[in-house]
Amino acid sequence: MSEHWQAPAADGPVSGRVEVPGSKSVTSRALLLGALSGGPATVSGAPASRDTALMVGALRALGVPVEVDGQRVAIGAHDGFRAGAVDCGLAGTVMRFVPPAATLASGPVVFDGDPRARERPMAVVLDALRALGADVDGSALPFTVRGTGGLPGGEVVVDASASSQFVSGLLLSGARFEKGLVVHHDGKPVPSLPHIEMTVDMLRLAGVAVDEGEPNTWRIAPAPIAARDWTVEPDLSNAAVFLAAAAITGGSVTVAGWPEESTQPGTEILAVLAQAGARIEPGPDGMTVHGPDVLAPIDVDLHDASELTPTVAAVAALADGVSRIRGVGHIRGHETDRIAALVAELTALGGLAQETPDGLEIHPAPLRAHPERPWQAYADHRMATAGALVGLAVPGVVVDGIDATTKTFPDFPAQWAELVN
C-alpha cells in the first residue's frame, strides 16, 4: 500500500451501509483471557489487524498454541507459559496486558516494540508488578519480566490517570495470582473508564468475581479463569469515522451490527454527532446517522472516550462555530501526541486550532490542501482516519501514512473509497 494516499473528496452527500471489523479492545482481552484459562478457547470476529497479530504473536511467544483462520482464532490447551520474546509493536494492549501474565511464565520474557512504543508510559504497570512480588528489569520498553511460574499478588496502589490500560492489564491476570489482586487507584480521575468496565464484564463472563464496591478499587479473589468461546462485536471507534462522514457531508450512513448495549467508549460518537446537528436512527440493520445541512459547533468532554478525539476534531474543523474538546490531556501519551498532531495538521490546512491544557479549541476557517505538505498520520491509525474525514470536504488532501490503519482496520482505504464513491 502506498504511504501517500489521495483521500477521496465527496461530490455530494455520502450514503451507504458499512460493516467494520471487530473491536480490537474486546479481541485483545478475549485472546489473553483464553490463554490465561489454559484453553481450549475461541475468539470469533477478531479483526485481521496488526494489533490482533501482535497479541497472537505474544501468546505464541509464551508457548500458547494459537491457530488463526480468517476472523476466528483458536487457542489450544496448554499447561502454562514459557520464557520468550514479545514484540509489542505499537499496541498498548500488548505492552500493558501481557507483562502481568508473563509473571506466570517459567523463565524470563523480554518485551520490546516500535520506536514510538518505547516512549509510551509503562512504569505504572511495571512498578505495580514489582510491588506484587515480580522480578522486573526496566521501567519502559525494552524491559524483562522474569517469570517464576506464579506471583504472590495482593494489594497495590497505582496512579492510572494516564491510561485505563494500567488497571485493565493488572485485572486480567489478577485471578491467577496466589493471593488474588486488589488494585487501588490514587490520582486524578481514570480516563476511558468504559474500557475498565469492559474488562470487568469480560472477567465475569469468564467466571471471575470482581468486587467494585469501593470507589477507585477493584478486588479479585484467586480463581481459575474459565475457557470459553468469545464473539467480538464491531469496533465502534472505527465505526465512528463512517458515521462522521454522513454528518460532514449531509449524507446517511448505516453501520451494520451496532450492538444494543456496549461498554465500548465509541458509543459516545452518537451524542457528539447529535450535538453537531445530525439525526440518529437505530434500526434492525444497525445504527444510522443522517447529516445536517450545516454542522453545528461541538463542546464536549471526551475524558471517557478520548480515542474519538481525532474523529471529533475533524468534524469540529468543518463546523460553523467555535468547538471545544475537553478532558483529553492524557492523549498526549497515545500512539502519538494526538493533541499536538491535530493542531499541526489542521493549521497546515489553514485551520484555526489551538491546544488547551486538557484538549483543543477549534475555530471555523476555510481549509485548503497544501500541494507540497501531506496530512501526517504519525504512524497513528486515528490520525490517518481523521485525515480521510477532512479530505471529504477539502479536495486534494493526501494522507502520508495511511497504512497506520492496519493497526485496527486493514481494509480501511478500500472501504472508505467504496463508501465515498
Side-chain angles (χ1 to χ4, degrees):
M1 184 188 303
S2 172
E3 278 281 324
H4 286 72
W5 176 71
Q6 179 76 55
D11 294 331
V14 168
S15 297
R17 177 182 180 275
V18 296
E19 295 183 9
V20 300
S23 163
K24 65 106 174 176
S25 299
V26 173
T27 298
S28 294
R29 289 161 172 78
L31 289 172
L32 184 58
L33 287 171
L36 286 163
S37 74
T42 62
V43 180
S44 300
S49 62
R50 188 186 183 208
D51 272 24
T52 299
L54 288 165
M55 183 60 83
V56 167
L59 299 182
R60 287 174 173 164
L62 294 176
V64 179
V66 183
E67 296 295 330
V68 179
D69 182 9
Q71 296 184 3
R72 183 179 185 275
V73 182
I75 298 167
H78 63 95
D79 57 4
F81 300 147
R82 70 183 183 200
V86 172
D87 176 14
C88 300
L90 196 53
T93 51
V94 176
M95 68 182 74
R96 287 152 181 177
F97 292 2
V98 180
T103 65
L104 308 174
S106 57
V109 181
V110 179
F111 290 81
D112 204 353
D114 293 358
R116 168 59 182 168
R118 294 182 174 188
E119 302 172 15
R120 298 189 70 179
M122 276 298 307
V124 172
V125 171
L126 301 182
D127 288 347
L129 291 177
R130 279 187 277 261
L132 292 167
D135 182 356
V136 182
D137 290 342
S139 58
L141 288 170
F143 59 84
T144 300
V145 176
R146 303 186 187 281
T148 57
L151 189 70
E155 296 197 21
V156 68
V157 178
V158 301
D159 180 354
S161 57
S163 176
S164 65
Q165 289 179 347
F166 299 152
V167 174
S168 287
L170 294 167
L171 295 181
L172 286 166
S173 295
R176 292 287 310 275
F177 300 160
E178 294 165 17
K179 301 175 185 176
L181 178 67
V182 180
V183 178
H184 301 282
H185 162 66
D186 183 12
K188 295 178 180 179
V190 180
S192 302
L193 273 174
H195 276 133
I196 298 180
E197 294 172 13
M198 178 188 296
T199 299
V200 170
D201 284 353
M202 293 182 69
L203 281 167
R204 288 171 174 160
L205 287 172
V208 176
V210 184
D211 181 354
E212 301 176 275
E214 183 181 342
N216 293 315
T217 300
W218 299 265
R219 300 176 185 274
I220 295 177
I225 294 173
R228 53 161 292 159
D229 298 329
W230 300 92
T231 300
V232 180
E233 62 190 34
D235 190 313
L236 303 188
S237 293
N238 279 333
V241 182
F242 290 87
L243 297 180
I248 287 173
T249 64
S252 176
V253 172
T254 299
V255 171
W258 191 282
E260 291 186 12
E261 295 183 4
S262 177
T263 53
Q264 289 188 61
T267 58
E268 292 201 23
I269 193 62
L270 302 177
V272 173
L273 296 180
Q275 188 180 139
R279 181 166 60 88
I280 314 301
E281 183 184 4
D285 191 39
M287 185 64 66
T288 302
V289 165
H290 305 278
D293 294 331
V294 178
L295 283 169
I298 299 163
D299 190 336
V300 63
D301 187 328
L302 291 180
H303 185 265
D304 285 344
S306 58
E307 62 196 44
L308 294 176
T309 302
T311 299
V312 176
V315 175
L318 301 167
D320 186 23
V322 180
S323 293
R324 296 175 180 84
I325 302 173
R326 296 172 283 105
V328 296
H330 58 279
I331 68 172
R332 292 184 170 95
H334 278 201
E335 282 84 342
T336 188
D337 180 339
R338 286 179 172 167
I339 295 176
L342 286 165
V343 169
E345 299 315 302
L346 292 174
T347 300
L349 295 175
L352 298 175
Q354 62 189 41
E355 293 192 38
T356 64
D358 70 340
L360 291 153
E361 184 171 291
I362 301 172
H363 293 248
L367 304 182
R368 183 176 302 171
H370 195 295
E372 298 180 0
R373 189 195 184 283
W375 174 283
Q376 303 295 317
Y378 303 85
D380 184 337
H381 59 141
R382 305 294 184 207
M383 285 298 301
T385 55
L389 273 174
V390 173
L392 290 174
V394 184
V397 168
V398 173
V399 178
D400 182 7
I402 194 63
D403 58 343
T405 57
T406 61
K407 177 179 173 65
T408 56
F409 201 146
D411 199 32
F412 174 79
Q415 278 200 239
W416 188 256
E418 182 179 355
L419 177 69
V420 176
N421 295 329

